[in-house]
Amino acid sequence: MRKVLFTLVALCGMMLCPTSSAQVKFGVVGGWNVSKISYSDIQGTAKSRSGWYIGPKAEIMLPIMGLGVDVAAEYSQRKLNAEDNNKTYRSVEIPLNLRYQIGVSLAKIYIMTGPQFGFQIGSKNWDINNPAAPAAQETFKLKKSNISWNVGAGVQLFSHLEAGVGYNFALSKYAKLQNGDGSIKANTWQIQVAYLF
């Protein structure tokens, strides 16, 4: 997965390097997320739970057609509810989004999409109650990394302040059942605010 990330960053760099007038901004992004677990090959239900994220962000805009790239490195805490077990999924998330924006410096509208690479930190295993046998627990081993995909839209005001909404859907597993084929994924709604210097 790291090779994929480095390849994408290198491709973006090659695309932007020949354009000396590309506009580069740095800032900070943070927001609120609402995640829900989905199970594979096991019984289980889950409720949506909220969390948060924050980190540095860079935005590189080409001088033509309103196209650009934004990338961030976010510390994320996703609250997940699985069979009345409240779990906190901590990770470093690296979204790499292609964006298109239109408007004037006072106000612009943007849309964005791209992959997000997550690197889990903290707990290595989760014990979750088995709904078929309440006295028993299932042990899930958390994966060290995962990949997901972002789509979103928002507004940029005065070329500095951004506010947007997005949806992040899992392309890979977050955790796998230690003794079996069951697995866990989580999809997430996001509301975010960023300030670019």
Side-chain angles (χ1 to χ4, degrees), residues 70-90:
D70 65 49
V71 62
E74 304 162 353
Y75 171 76
S76 173
Q77 285 198 176
R78 302 186 192 202
K79 293 289 186 179
L80 304 174
N81 180 292
E83 296 301 335
D84 296 324
N85 294 263
N86 295 322
K87 303 296 183 181
T88 300
Y89 183 83
R90 295 177 176 88

Side-chain angles (χ1 to χ4, degrees), residues 63-137:
I64 55 172
M65 298 171 52
L67 289 175
V69 175
D70 65 49
V71 62
E74 304 162 353
Y75 171 76
S76 173
Q77 285 198 176
R78 302 186 192 202
K79 293 289 186 179
L80 304 174
N81 180 292
E83 296 301 335
D84 296 324
N85 294 263
N86 295 322
K87 303 296 183 181
T88 300
Y89 183 83
R90 295 177 176 88
S91 62
V92 174
E93 302 289 331
I94 303 176
L96 180 59
N97 296 312
L98 179 66
R99 62 186 283 152
Y100 174 74
Q101 63 187 34
I102 188 170
V104 295
S105 59
L106 181 63
K108 299 175 184 175
I109 297 172
Y110 71 85
I111 56 174
M112 60 86 177
T113 187
Q116 180 166 304
F117 304 91
F119 302 93
Q120 189 270 338
I121 55 178
S123 300
K124 295 180 179 177
N125 296 306
W126 281 353
D127 291 325
I128 296 177
N129 292 339
N130 185 338
Q137 287 188 327

Side-chain angles (χ1 to χ4, degrees), residues 27-87:
V28 63
V29 62
W32 178 64
N33 54 45
V34 178
S35 302
K36 186 174 182 179
I37 284 179
S38 62
Y39 294 96
S40 172
D41 297 328
I42 57 172
Q43 293 181 346
T45 59
K47 299 176 183 178
S48 297
R49 295 294 306 275
S50 64
W52 56 272
Y53 59 97
I54 191 168
K57 174 179 178 174
E59 178 185 286
I60 306 167
M61 295 301 298
L62 295 172
I64 55 172
M65 298 171 52
L67 289 175
V69 175
D70 65 49
V71 62
E74 304 162 353
Y75 171 76
S76 173
Q77 285 198 176
R78 302 186 192 202
K79 293 289 186 179
L80 304 174
N81 180 292
E83 296 301 335
D84 296 324
N85 294 263
N86 295 322
K87 303 296 183 181

Side-chain angles (χ1 to χ4, degrees), residues 179-195:
N179 297 310
D181 296 325
S183 62
I184 289 175
K185 290 183 177 180
N187 297 332
T188 303
W189 285 101
Q190 296 178 324
I191 297 175
Q192 72 174 27
V193 176
Y195 189 82

